[in-house]
Amino acid sequence: MPATMKGPALFLAQFAGDAAPFNSFDGICGWASGLGYKGVQIPTFDARLFDLDKAAGSQSYCDEVAGVAASHGLAITELSTHLQGQLVAVHPAYDEAFDAFAPAALRGKPQARQAWAVDQLMKAAQASRRLGLSGSVSFTGALAWPFLYPWPQRAPGLIETAFDELGRRWRPILDAYEEAGVDLCYEIHPGEDVFDGATFEMFLERVGNHPRCAINYDPSHFLLQQLDYLAFIDIYAERIRAFHVKDAEFNPSGRQGVYSGFQPWLNRAGRFRSLGDGQVDFKAIFSRLAAIGYDRWAVLEWECCLKHPEDGAREGAAFIADQIIRVTDKAFDDFAGAGSDDAQLRRMLGLT
């Protein structure tokens, strides 16, 4: 059944900072509310805004956080564990780069870092339950990503082994989310082993088609891969349970294409843009999502190499509000059949 989604909401990760109002949950909620947002997605990896360890064990703390949001007319949409999820599975080639996502005491200790990340995911399940949330958003991490476009060819069974291990690591986490009654919505994203529909299916098979294994739909990553992001909605409708509204553009040239030639963001053929400044067809996306019955939140995840973030946030609230479709309970001409009964239908068909 068609449904009206909630929104606009804002992912706070890109806006948190050391200066007011961005350095506290109360301050940033007041700012977001003033722009017209109705919900906020909380990054659990930013202690300026949220204490995940405390939230996992304290209902009073979760009530306090929810109360702060509500005082500004906001709901909490989801908790984000993107950075911790990334650390559930890291190929050694990326150990040094991803160490920055872990506490300083764990850097250079990949096994301890991974154990910490799993514990963080478990705590996010409990915190989400205490907050009364239906979903949480994360990354899968990556073991096979260095072998994406291989030369020489990959060893037989390499990818299968990587996904077997990825599934083994995530299955108990998903079980914890099932127990908490919360969906774990993976952002399908280059840099993760799960970066498109085919890899999501491989992962889903390894976790036994787990009922809590879901998708955080973000069309920007699909446009940059040149994947059909509208057909994706139709194929994976039942698994789409979170939505990042994020824009991008792809302008290939004689010098670069999808891989963008190691260029900085400003010079890449494919780059993220502030909402409405890119090439993503959001009218079609919001229509498809409404048609499949998506009734959760539309959350702005803002990134842009040109526009100031505060301008992007301000424009994004109005943009999402304009895109949300308030669905109707009947088509405009459904009145033609109003009050029909079996006898009337038989007369119309010339059967009586």
Side-chain angles (χ1 to χ4, degrees):
M1 291 287 293
T4 301
M5 71 180 71
K6 303 179 183 72
L10 182 67
F11 184 27
L12 300 178
Q14 285 83 11
F15 301 96
D18 292 328
F22 307 108
N23 59 349
S24 72
F25 188 63
D26 181 61
I28 203 168
C29 281
W31 169 76
S33 177
L35 296 178
Y37 288 100
K38 298 179 180 179
V40 288
Q41 187 178 91
I42 301 176
T44 63
F45 40 84
D46 194 323
R48 293 169 297 192
L49 305 183
F50 190 75
D51 187 331
L52 179 58
D53 292 340
K54 194 173 181 179
S58 172
Q59 186 61 53
S60 61
Y61 174 74
C62 288
D63 293 343
E64 177 186 339
V65 171
V68 169
S71 72
H72 295 286
L74 298 170
I76 298 170
T77 66
E78 299 95 4
L79 299 181
S80 158
T81 55
H82 283 83
L83 301 192
Q84 300 99 314
Q86 183 74 57
L87 299 182
V88 170
V90 177
H91 188 280
Y94 296 103
D95 269 340
E96 185 174 354
F98 285 133
D99 258 353
F101 293 172
L106 300 178
R107 294 170 188 173
K109 303 174 182 177
Q111 291 184 333
R113 184 188 62 199
Q114 198 258 345
W116 171 83
V118 171
D119 182 64
Q120 288 277 290
L121 266 294
M122 297 297 195
K123 287 175 177 174
Q126 292 305 310
S128 295
R129 178 184 62 80
R130 292 185 184 281
L131 288 164
L133 304 179
S134 57
S136 183
V137 292
S138 196
F139 282 147
T140 63
L143 299 172
W145 183 254
F147 306 99
L148 174 67
Y149 198 77
W151 187 88
Q153 288 299 307
R154 294 183 289 255
L158 178 70
I159 299 303
E160 290 74 14
T161 299
F163 273 83
D164 288 347
E165 177 63 17
L166 197 66
R168 186 191 69 78
R169 295 187 188 190
W170 279 103
R171 181 61 188 262
I173 300 173
L174 285 162
D175 288 344
Y177 278 75
E178 171 67 16
E179 185 176 347
V182 178
D183 294 326
L184 188 48
C185 308
Y186 296 100
E187 185 168 346
I188 297 180
H189 182 291
E192 313 304 313
D193 280 348
V194 176
F195 60 87
D196 60 10
T199 51
F200 176 74
E201 292 175 18
M202 292 165 66
F203 178 65
L204 185 61
E205 179 183 2
R206 265 61 173 202
V207 295
N209 294 305
H210 202 288
R212 294 297 174 179
C213 181
I215 293 170
N216 177 31
Y217 176 76
D218 183 336
S220 68
H221 303 302
F222 297 153
L223 183 139
L224 297 185
Q225 294 180 66
Q226 294 295 280
L227 184 152
D228 187 335
Y229 52 82
L230 297 178
F232 184 97
I233 295 174
D234 297 333
I235 296 168
Y236 301 106
E238 68 178 81
R239 295 281 174 175
I240 296 175
R241 300 174 198 165
F243 175 26
H244 269 178
V245 191
K246 184 176 174 183
D247 212 344
E249 64 183 358
F250 180 61
N251 300 303
S253 69
R255 290 188 172 88
Q256 55 170 290
V258 169
Y259 300 115
S260 291
F262 293 114
Q263 298 303 297
W265 276 112
L266 187 63
N267 299 328
R268 292 186 189 184
R271 57 188 188 175
F272 299 121
R273 295 300 310 276
S274 196
L275 194 53
D277 293 345
Q279 298 169 347
V280 175
D281 186 351
F282 284 107
K283 285 189 179 297
I285 287 173
F286 276 78
S287 294
R288 294 280 183 105
L289 288 173
I292 67 169
Y294 179 80
D295 60 359
R296 298 192 185 185
W297 287 91
V299 180
L300 171 63
E301 183 188 18
W302 183 89
E303 289 185 36
C304 187
C305 57
L306 290 172
K307 185 167 286 183
H308 193 282
E310 292 182 40
D311 293 336
R314 174 178 48 80
E315 294 171 0
F319 185 94
I320 293 173
D322 287 344
Q323 298 297 321
I324 291 175
I325 297 170
R326 182 162 67 104
V327 301
T328 180
D329 57 358
K330 62 182 179 179
F332 73 96
D333 58 353
D334 276 354
F335 67 87
S340 298
D341 56 24
D342 185 63
Q344 180 182 354
L345 294 175
R346 291 182 65 82
R347 286 195 300 273
M348 291 173 69
L349 293 170
L351 301 178
T352 57

